[in-house]
Amino acid sequence: MPKADTRIQKKNQAAILSAALVVFSQFGFRGSTLDQVADEAGLSKPNLLYYFPSKEAIYTTLLARLLENWLEPLKNIKADGDPVEELLAYATHKLEMSQHFPRESRLFANEIIQGAPRIGEVLRGELRELLGELAIVINGWAEAGKIRPVDPYHLIFSIWAVTQHYADFDVQVRAILGDADPFEGAHAHIEAMLRALLTPAGSNP
Amino acid sequence: MPKADTRIQKKNQAAILSAALVVFSQFGFRGSTLDQVADEAGLSKPNLLYYFPSKEAIYTTLLARLLENWLEPLKNIKADGDPVEELLAYATHKLEMSQHFPRESRLFANEIIQGAPRIGEVLRGELRELLGELAIVINGWAEAGKIRPVDPYHLIFSIWAVTQHYADFDVQVRAILGDADPFEGAHAHIEAMLRALLTPAGSNP
DNA sequence: CGTGCCTTTGACCAGTTGGTCAAATATCGC
DNA sequence: GCGATATTTGACCAACTGGTCAAAGGCACG
């Protein structure tokens, strides 16, 4: 077990996690093998296990790292900003994550579909609390007449659903759109949808 | 290899497919084992392979059956109906499928996330064509001023995304909502979203 | 250039995997 | 109740799985 992080350790750990992301995001935890990960990382299987104690450890390291990036942007929604623009910025950020880090999204999707055996606690704990606070903010906006009244939870669900769809169902989206870039149209559509839903009646820019 | 379908054959094949749906929808093809399926079905592993030639065959049978139910409701959208109501009915139907057949949704999601190795052809063929026709209908509605102008493809994507989210991410949704039934709020929210997006300016019911 | 530590690997292991097969057992038409 | 046929299963197999380990190969530093 390495204590300090030498150059070579950093390099190999990064290579392993990167390879593991590729493999786990496609096949899920149980469907992936250490040989696949080792192959993808260009290392031997025993060498993987020199840097990580087990397959499980690689996977959970990946998940933990992901959860940080997952929860953080939620906290950036400012109660004193313009409501529609705040929510739009969040949705745009999530869509860009789908565009640039689709594997992370698929890894997460795999874990949730599997029943979230390793992150259920986080979902029922930190995430739930975070969303509770956000719901209060959104409800405040609605009561102040700054947005139309909406269910804050289902609003967030729909933002998650639509943005992650472009990463998780990438193959399907591209099968239908052909050569066109999905993300341009996606952004415009999501913006239109959120503005239509949220902009209070009587607002004419 | 059974030729005719006796009572016992129908029963066992149904039991196998039902068990396979439970297992495959949770762990994906590679993450599932025949022993799991056999256990769930209450049969021995060699007995499974008496009714189906391989693990692969069970899985593809499940997928083929699923695709039928998946594509059919798309065809029920009538060009001469009321646009908003037609699309709303479709979304409602999809949401009800998420509610009552979440495993089917997760099986499909697993297959797509995996890269759709077994149904890529259908996506690029039948599904794409079907959506092409639907896009023409929706564009027609927009040109006739019956709905606001929208990208028909991304509109459908967002309906798929939001409705399937409640099946595929069921665990996450319930972790956040607690005891509340997700589907009541979901239906109301989706209806509100679609009406806001689609109802042309100046329509006041 | 040698010594101590970090890194890498080939050989190996026990358990699991999808799948086979011959023999046993149940079912059905007569 | 009998023979033919359909169904079920225990024993088995080769390939693969996650993981171990001792030995070998590099590397840095005196």
Side-chain angles (χ1 to χ4, degrees):
Chain A
M1 294 155 212
K3 308 173 186 182
D5 273 12
T6 71
R7 282 142 212 112
I8 194 166
Q9 277 176 22
K10 275 188 188 166
K11 192 193 69 177
N12 280 345
Q13 280 177 3
I16 291 170
L17 288 175
S18 167
L21 178 62
V22 170
V23 176
F24 284 135
S25 67
Q26 190 174 356
F27 300 109
F29 179 71
R30 298 203 31 185
S32 304
T33 74
L34 283 181
D35 286 303
Q36 280 179 287
V37 178
D39 252 34
E40 180 78 29
L43 299 172
S44 68
K45 185 170 62 173
N47 208 2
L48 288 200
L49 295 164
Y50 172 72
Y51 289 102
F52 290 88
S54 66
K55 180 188 179 186
E56 177 94 20
I58 301 178
Y59 184 72
T60 52
T61 301
L62 226 43
L63 265 189
R65 186 182 282 207
L66 171 62
L67 274 180
E68 286 178 40
N69 301 327
W70 226 238
L71 297 182
E72 190 218 301
L74 263 182
K75 303 174 187 162
N76 283 344
I77 300 179
K78 308 269 188 256
D80 55 352
D82 178 80
V84 177
E85 299 309 318
E86 287 290 322
L87 289 167
L88 218 54
Y90 175 68
T92 301
H93 178 81
K94 282 241 87 182
L95 186 63
E96 279 163 2
M97 285 182 65
S98 281
Q99 181 172 15
H100 300 298
F101 308 101
R103 283 184 281 260
E104 279 82 350
S105 184
R106 286 193 282 263
L107 184 80
F108 184 77
N110 252 314
E111 174 70 11
I112 300 289
I113 288 179
Q114 232 213 26
R118 295 152 224 275
I119 59 171
E121 308 263 311
V122 182
L123 301 186
R124 285 184 295 273
E126 197 175 348
L127 178 62
R128 187 182 187 186
E129 199 171 332
L130 229 67
L131 237 74
E133 294 168 22
L134 182 54
I136 292 173
V137 170
I138 295 177
N139 278 333
W141 287 339
E143 278 161 30
K146 294 179 176 176
I147 58 171
R148 288 207 268 181
V150 287
D151 183 310
Y153 291 102
H154 291 282
L155 171 64
I156 296 296
F157 292 159
S158 60
I159 292 177
W160 286 346
V162 174
T163 54
Q164 286 172 20
H165 186 86
Y166 289 93
D168 304 342
F169 289 72
D170 178 77
V171 183
Q172 181 179 243
V173 168
R174 288 182 197 276
I176 289 164
L177 291 186
D179 290 334
D181 173 26
F183 287 94
E184 287 180 39
H187 184 265
H189 182 260
I190 291 172
E191 175 167 358
M193 210 162 65
L194 285 180
R195 285 199 192 279
L197 176 67
L198 296 174
T199 306
S203 298
N204 261 345
Chain B
M1 293 156 215
K3 306 174 186 179
D5 274 13
T6 71
R7 283 142 211 112
I8 194 165
Q9 278 176 23
K10 274 187 185 166
K11 192 194 70 178
N12 279 345
Q13 280 176 1
I16 291 169
L17 288 175
S18 167
L21 177 62
V22 171
V23 176
F24 284 135
S25 68
Q26 189 173 358
F27 301 108
F29 179 72
R30 298 202 32 183
S32 304
T33 74
L34 283 181
D35 286 303
Q36 282 179 286
V37 178
D39 252 32
E40 180 79 29
L43 298 173
S44 67
K45 186 170 60 172
N47 208 1
L48 289 200
L49 295 164
Y50 172 73
Y51 290 102
F52 291 88
S54 66
K55 180 188 179 186
E56 176 95 20
I58 302 177
Y59 184 71
T60 53
T61 301
L62 225 44
L63 267 189
R65 187 182 281 207
L66 172 61
L67 275 180
E68 285 177 41
N69 301 329
W70 226 239
L71 298 182
E72 190 218 301
L74 264 183
K75 302 174 186 161
N76 283 345
I77 300 180
K78 309 268 187 254
D80 56 352
D82 178 79
V84 176
E85 299 309 319
E86 287 290 323
L87 290 167
L88 217 55
Y90 175 68
T92 300
H93 178 81
K94 283 240 85 182
L95 186 63
E96 280 164 1
M97 285 182 65
S98 281
Q99 182 172 14
H100 299 297
F101 309 101
R103 284 184 282 259
E104 279 82 348
S105 184
R106 286 193 281 264
L107 185 78
F108 184 77
N110 253 314
E111 174 69 11
I112 300 287
I113 289 178
Q114 232 213 26
R118 295 151 224 275
I119 60 171
E121 309 263 309
V122 182
L123 301 186
R124 285 184 296 274
E126 197 176 347
L127 179 62
R128 187 181 187 187
E129 200 172 328
L130 228 68
L131 238 75
E133 293 168 22
L134 182 54
I136 292 173
V137 170
I138 295 178
N139 279 333
W141 287 338
E143 278 160 28
K146 293 178 176 175
I147 59 172
R148 287 207 269 182
V150 286
D151 183 311
Y153 291 102
H154 291 282
L155 171 64
I156 296 296
F157 291 159
S158 60
I159 292 176
W160 286 348
V162 174
T163 53
Q164 287 172 21
H165 185 85
Y166 289 92
D168 304 343
F169 288 72
D170 178 76
V171 183
Q172 182 180 242
V173 167
R174 288 182 196 275
I176 289 165
L177 291 187
D179 289 334
D181 173 26
F183 287 95
E184 287 179 40
H187 183 265
H189 183 259
I190 292 172
E191 176 167 357
M193 210 163 63
L194 285 180
R195 286 199 191 277
L197 176 66
L198 296 173
T199 306
S203 300
N204 261 345

